[in-house]
Amino acid sequence: MAGAERLRQAFDRGELLRPSADIPNLVDLSRVVAAACGVGVPLATRGARLLRDLIGEPRHLVLLLVDGLGLRMLEQRPGDSVLRRLLAMELRTVFPSTTASAVTSLATGEWPAQHAVVGWWTHLPALDAAATVLPFQRRSDERPLEELGIGVEQAFPVAPLLARATRDTLSLLPQAIANSTYSRYISAGGQRLDYRTLREAAATLLERVHGARGPTFTYLYTPRVDAVAHELGTSRPELWAEVAQIEEIVERIALGLGEGARLVVTADHGHLDAPIGLRHQLRAGSVLAGEQRIPPSGDPRVVYFHLRDGARDRFRQHFDARFGDEFALLSIDELEELELLGPGPLSDETRRRVGDLVAISLGPSVLGMPGITGGEKSLALASHHSGLTPAEMRIPLVIA
């Protein structure tokens, strides 16, 4: 059975979730937050109008993004936990359900089909190679993209919405990434402050709100849930200790903000464990590697292949024989037709980045990429994201 048809059937059965503008989603949330910050952005979808009614235009708006905190994690918390009590609704993230694509959608109000950040490892045509776009490095040797002549506008062709905000904006980011190229990009020239602990970040946030003379927007990002889930999996007590700390911080902020303020909490994606038997290596020197012009890009559950001339049919035959039970292999036209990267046609830049064929996991299976920094190491991780399963695609909207 063709890969596109297998995906359609999995969507019909609910085994996988299709990204959709008809369901409240992360792009809708981005646009609603931007509109509350004075950006003239249309709220044309039903989901955006629903979120606008829920969030409103408070004098002080705080958005807390908890990397990796999928809705399934919240559903496993006690019913009286703060996140369960304040859960307003379910949202759906974008595909690939990975931080680079999702946070860029949150920053721009656009789907990956338009903003062209299509994975943790995104192919950049100007390099003819993949970049690890959040650290802003060439993947093969971790050389900074700036040294290679790649500017921010080339890597991230869509400007962030906050560039047009009329409010006083602040991004509160972990110390290790607060001054990164990507952090500067998403903050759109607005103020950035680093923090060492979430308690420190919460104190800074509350002090800012209570001392403000005008309307404010504060973006707070934390990566700890994602990091622990990757390393240990989604059932370990260490993960639930991180979630409990998030709940403590959410309660502290919610109680401390006072009237005229609103706290919104969401995630970029969820997590799904990858059993050892479903972790596969794309090996250098294999028949599949020989049909590729350059190494693949993407993520462990969505892999883009750039092929040699005339190699498409041979590659498809060999890939389906090896991985066809666990991955659907699509042409880029099929990727566009299914609107997996978002509604409408792919932008020209997106199409240039996604190669010739794309392999999409039908469940928990992952592919490690050979000969690249992080590609083989990723197979040691206990849990992954970037796929289309409900555990990865369903994210919470918490409002206080």
Side-chain angles (χ1 to χ4, degrees):
M1 185 186 301
E5 183 57 30
R6 296 180 71 188
L7 284 179
R8 288 189 183 96
Q9 292 187 10
F11 291 144
D12 289 343
R13 293 191 297 265
E15 296 168 358
L16 302 178
L17 296 181
R18 185 197 300 265
S20 175
D22 298 327
I23 297 169
N25 57 69
L26 193 66
V27 173
D28 289 333
L29 178 61
S30 167
R31 289 172 168 257
V32 167
V33 168
C37 292
V39 179
V41 59
L43 303 180
T45 64
R46 181 184 66 85
R49 294 190 292 271
L50 175 61
L51 294 178
R52 177 194 58 196
D53 292 342
L54 287 172
I55 295 171
E57 295 187 3
R59 181 173 175 81
H60 303 290
L61 178 59
V62 177
L63 175 61
L64 168 57
L65 183 73
V66 184
D67 197 325
L69 185 69
L71 183 57
R72 189 173 74 169
M73 290 186 190
L74 263 68
E75 291 171 341
Q76 296 177 64
R77 300 297 292 159
D80 60 350
S81 68
V82 63
L83 292 176
R84 287 286 298 273
R85 286 190 286 109
L86 296 176
L87 179 64
M89 64 183 300
E90 173 182 333
L91 299 180
R92 193 165 293 182
T93 192
V94 302
F95 176 78
S97 53
T98 192
T99 302
S101 301
V103 175
T104 306
S105 284
L106 190 63
T108 63
E110 297 289 352
W111 295 82
Q114 296 303 311
H115 67 57
V117 179
V118 293
W120 179 253
W121 295 304
T122 290
H123 176 81
L124 297 183
L127 290 178
D128 198 26
T132 315
V133 286
L134 266 60
F136 215 65
Q137 300 169 336
R138 183 162 58 187
R139 179 182 60 186
S140 60
D141 56 8
E142 298 185 337
R143 188 174 173 187
L145 295 183
E146 295 97 336
E147 293 182 3
L148 298 167
I150 302 297
V152 172
E153 294 80 8
Q154 284 177 279
F156 310 114
V158 177
L161 291 173
L162 284 185
R164 294 181 276 148
T166 59
R167 288 183 180 229
D168 174 23
T169 67
L170 170 68
S171 296
L172 275 171
L173 304 167
Q175 200 168 52
I177 64 170
N179 291 313
S180 70
T181 299
Y182 188 75
S183 294
R184 294 196 301 272
Y185 160 70
I186 64 170
S187 61
Q191 185 183 13
R192 295 185 318 279
L193 290 177
D194 62 46
Y195 69 84
R196 290 167 295 180
T197 68
L198 272 178
R199 291 184 180 91
E200 176 187 318
T204 299
L205 188 159
L206 293 175
E207 181 180 359
R208 160 181 163 79
V209 167
H210 291 302
R213 296 183 178 180
T216 66
F217 170 69
T218 307
Y219 170 67
L220 172 57
Y221 168 80
T222 174
R224 285 294 303 158
V225 168
D226 180 69
V228 174
H230 272 307
E231 182 181 0
L232 301 176
T234 62
S235 60
R236 291 283 293 271
E238 294 91 337
L239 175 67
W240 299 116
E242 293 292 340
V243 176
Q245 185 184 32
I246 296 297
E247 291 177 330
E248 174 194 329
I249 295 300
V250 166
E251 190 153 30
R252 179 176 300 191
I253 294 173
L255 292 174
L257 281 175
E259 293 189 11
R262 179 145 292 157
L263 170 63
V264 176
V265 185
T266 193
D268 48 354
H269 55 74
H271 262 269
L272 180 66
D273 290 345
I276 291 176
L278 298 181
R279 304 177 197 175
H280 306 293
Q281 179 65 57
L282 289 167
R283 300 196 179 279
S286 67
V287 173
L288 287 173
E291 304 289 6
Q292 297 176 56
R293 187 176 61 82
I294 54 176
S297 55
D299 285 79
R301 288 194 176 113
V302 51
V303 183
Y304 306 105
F305 298 104
H306 299 254
L307 304 179
R308 300 182 186 278
D309 290 342
R312 185 186 301 254
D313 290 343
R314 294 191 302 273
F315 184 91
R316 185 183 290 276
Q317 180 181 356
H318 290 299
F319 185 92
D320 286 342
R322 176 68 179 86
F323 299 113
D325 290 341
E326 299 170 53
F327 286 82
L329 192 64
L330 275 64
S331 70
I332 304 311
D333 287 342
E334 290 171 324
L335 179 73
E336 182 178 65
E337 179 187 355
L338 288 171
E339 297 189 325
L340 296 184
L341 298 183
L346 304 180
S347 71
D348 291 343
E349 181 63 15
T350 299
R351 184 170 279 274
R352 284 191 289 267
R353 293 182 179 192
V354 293
D356 301 293
L357 294 172
V358 54
I360 299 174
S361 179
L362 296 168
S365 298
V366 295
L367 289 176
M369 303 180 198
I372 59 172
T373 301
E376 294 167 340
K377 292 180 181 178
S378 68
L379 289 187
L381 299 176
S383 183
H384 287 267
H385 50 82
S386 72
L388 289 162
T389 66
E392 297 163 283
M393 293 293 295
R394 298 170 66 230
I395 57 173
L397 180 71
V398 170
I399 299 177

